[in-house]
Amino acid sequence: MNSPKDILTSRQLLVILISTVIGVQVFIMPRLVVEAAGRDGWLSLVLGGGWALLAATAAAYLASFFPRQTPVVWFSHLLGKWGGIALSLGFGCFFLFVAAEVLRLFTDMTQTYLLPRTPSEIIMITFLLSIAYVVCHGINPIARVTLIFFLFGIIPSIILIAVFQGKVNFGELVPVLAGGIAPVIRGFLPAYGDFGGWGIIVFLVQFMDTPKEAVKGTAVGMAVIWLFFMATFIITLAAFGPIETQYLLYPVVDLIREMEGVGGFIEKLDLIFLSAWILSVFVTLAVCYYVAVLAISQLAGIKNIAVPVYVGLPLVYLLALLPQGYKAAEGLVGYLNYTSFIFSLSVPLLVFLARRKIKQGGVSDGEQT
C-alpha cells in the first residue's frame, strides 16, 4: 500500500503521461520512421500510435482493478510469485534503460546545439543530481514540477508545431503505398517505440484518488500525443521530403529553424524550442527513473526510496555512457522498442487473468473499482 500523501488526480496523470512520452524521442522520430517506411511513415504512425493507445488504455483499465495496490502485488496475484517478480523486475530494468537512453540523447543534443565545449560527463552528472533531488521526494513533487514544465515546455512546443510557418510541400506525402504495405510494416516498430513510455501508467494508477478515471485520462493523453506526433511527422516530411529527412540528425530542430519569425518579431525560435525541450526532458527522465526505482524498491520491500535513488544514479550514468557514438545510442532505442512491444502484448493476457479472477472471486470487492 502507498502513503495517503501519495495522491494523483486524473489531470495530473494526463499531464505526466503527455510530458513523459513526448520527451526526447520527438526530435529523432521523423528520421527513424522515414528510414524504415519512407514517405508512408505516417501510416506506420497510425498503426504504432493506435496500438500504443490501446495498450496504454488497457493497462490503465487493468491497474484500476487494484486501487492503491502496487503492481508488484497484483502481478504476483495474477501470474504467481515468480511470474510477478519477473514482470516487476522487467519493468524496473526497462525504465532504468529508458532513463539512460533519454540521458544519453539529451546529452548528445545539448552538446550539439547548446553546450558544445562542455564535457558530456558534466552535463550528465549535473542533470542526474537535479533529477535525484526531485525523485527522492516522491510522486507529488514530480507531479507539481511536471505541471509547471508542461505549461512552459510542452505547450509552447505544441503551439510552435501547430502554427508552423515555412515552406512545405504536402505533395511529398504521395504517392501512398507506392512500395506496397511492407515499408509500413517495417516502420511499425520505430513508430510504436515513440509511444513506448505508456508503461508508466502501470505504476502510476496506484497513486490515483479515483482509479476509475485513469482509463479516460490515459486515452485522452495518448490521443493528444498521437496527434502531436502525426502533425510533427507530416510537417517535417512536407518541409524536407523523405530523402533529406533521413540525413538530418535531429529533423525537428531543423524544422523549427525553418520557421519564419512570428511577424518578424520573434527570431531564434530554435533556441526557444530547445529551452522548452530541456524542461520536457527533465520530466521524462524524472518520471522514468522514478518508476524504475519504485518498481525495484517495492519488489525489494524498501519503503524509503531515497537510498535506491542515489544508489541507482551511477548505474544510469554508466549505461548512458556505454553506447559508442550516437548510432550505437539509437541502437539501444531499437532494443527498448522491442521490449516495450513485448510488454504491450502481455497486457491483454493480464486483463484476461484479472477478469477471470474477479469472476472466480479471487479479487475482493475492495480491490475492484
Side-chain angles (χ1 to χ4, degrees):
M1 298 293 289
N2 300 299
S3 168
K5 296 181 180 179
D6 293 327
I7 297 293
L8 283 180
T9 65
S10 58
R11 182 178 301 177
Q12 288 175 321
L13 181 72
L14 172 69
V15 170
I16 290 175
L17 179 63
I18 294 175
S19 302
T20 302
V21 175
I22 288 180
V24 71
Q25 283 288 95
V26 66
F27 290 92
I28 60 175
M29 175 268 295
R31 173 168 55 82
L32 296 181
V33 175
V34 166
E35 286 176 349
R39 69 178 77 249
D40 291 328
W42 66 274
L43 291 173
S44 299
L45 278 171
V46 170
L47 296 177
W51 178 254
L53 189 153
L54 290 175
T57 305
Y61 175 68
L62 171 66
S64 68
F65 288 145
F66 308 94
R68 304 297 289 170
Q69 290 196 31
T70 71
V72 172
V73 172
W74 53 265
F75 280 167
S76 296
H77 188 65
L78 298 177
L79 300 174
K81 178 181 178 181
W82 295 109
I85 290 175
L87 190 56
S88 299
L89 189 60
F91 267 105
C93 292
F94 170 75
F95 279 106
L96 199 65
F97 274 93
V98 170
E101 175 239 337
V102 170
L103 179 63
R104 176 56 182 268
L105 293 179
F106 165 78
T107 302
D108 289 345
M109 283 192 63
T110 301
Q111 285 189 311
T112 300
Y113 294 107
L114 299 175
L115 302 171
R117 297 183 180 181
T118 304
S120 59
E121 294 82 0
I122 299 299
I123 297 174
M124 288 184 182
I125 292 173
T126 303
F127 209 62
L128 279 175
L129 290 176
S130 302
I131 294 296
Y133 177 78
V134 176
V135 171
C136 277
H137 290 79
I139 191 62
N140 292 114
I142 292 175
R144 289 193 289 268
V145 169
T146 301
L147 179 59
I148 295 172
F149 286 3
F150 182 79
L151 296 175
F152 294 99
I154 299 297
I155 290 181
S157 301
I158 293 175
I159 292 174
L160 279 177
I161 296 296
V163 301
F164 178 81
Q165 297 179 16
K167 296 179 180 179
V168 294
N169 176 18
F170 291 103
E172 296 287 358
L173 278 72
V174 294
V176 178
L177 295 177
I181 195 67
V184 177
I185 301 302
R186 285 198 302 269
F188 170 80
L189 195 61
Y192 163 81
D194 297 317
F195 303 86
W198 64 264
I200 63 172
I201 291 297
V202 176
F203 283 85
L204 294 187
V205 173
Q206 63 180 297
F207 298 110
M208 291 194 66
D209 53 352
T210 52
K212 289 186 293 185
E213 297 181 1
V215 175
K216 180 180 178 181
T218 300
V220 171
M222 291 300 293
V224 170
I225 297 164
W226 194 7
L227 292 174
F228 176 68
F229 279 170
M230 286 288 294
T232 301
F233 179 84
I234 290 173
I235 294 174
T236 302
L237 195 64
F240 301 116
I243 296 178
E244 185 177 352
T245 300
Q246 294 183 54
Y247 295 98
L248 297 175
L249 190 58
Y250 303 110
V252 175
V253 177
D254 292 290
L255 177 69
I256 299 301
R257 285 178 166 177
E258 292 291 316
M259 290 185 68
E260 301 170 359
V262 181
F265 181 70
I266 301 178
E267 301 294 344
K268 295 291 183 181
L269 290 175
D270 55 326
L271 294 181
I272 298 175
F273 189 76
L274 287 170
S275 299
W277 161 74
I278 290 176
L279 303 180
S280 174
V281 174
F282 183 93
V283 169
T284 300
L285 185 53
V287 174
C288 289
Y289 187 54
Y290 174 75
V291 170
V293 172
L294 182 68
I296 295 172
S297 297
Q298 291 179 342
L299 190 60
I302 301 173
K303 294 184 178 180
N304 185 355
I305 68 170
V307 173
V309 165
Y310 285 103
V311 169
L313 288 183
L315 181 57
V316 175
Y317 173 74
L318 292 175
L319 289 174
L321 287 177
L322 193 60
Q324 300 297 315
Y326 78 92
K327 276 295 183 183
E330 290 182 3
L332 175 61
V333 173
Y335 288 112
L336 292 175
N337 291 348
Y338 278 110
T339 305
S340 176
F341 184 65
I342 292 173
F343 283 144
S344 74
L345 294 176
S346 71
V347 173
L349 172 62
L350 293 173
V351 171
F352 170 76
L353 292 175
R355 296 297 302 176
R356 191 173 68 173
K357 287 280 187 180
I358 291 173
K359 290 181 180 179
Q360 294 175 349
V363 177
S364 66
D365 293 339
E367 291 175 322
Q368 299 181 44
T369 57

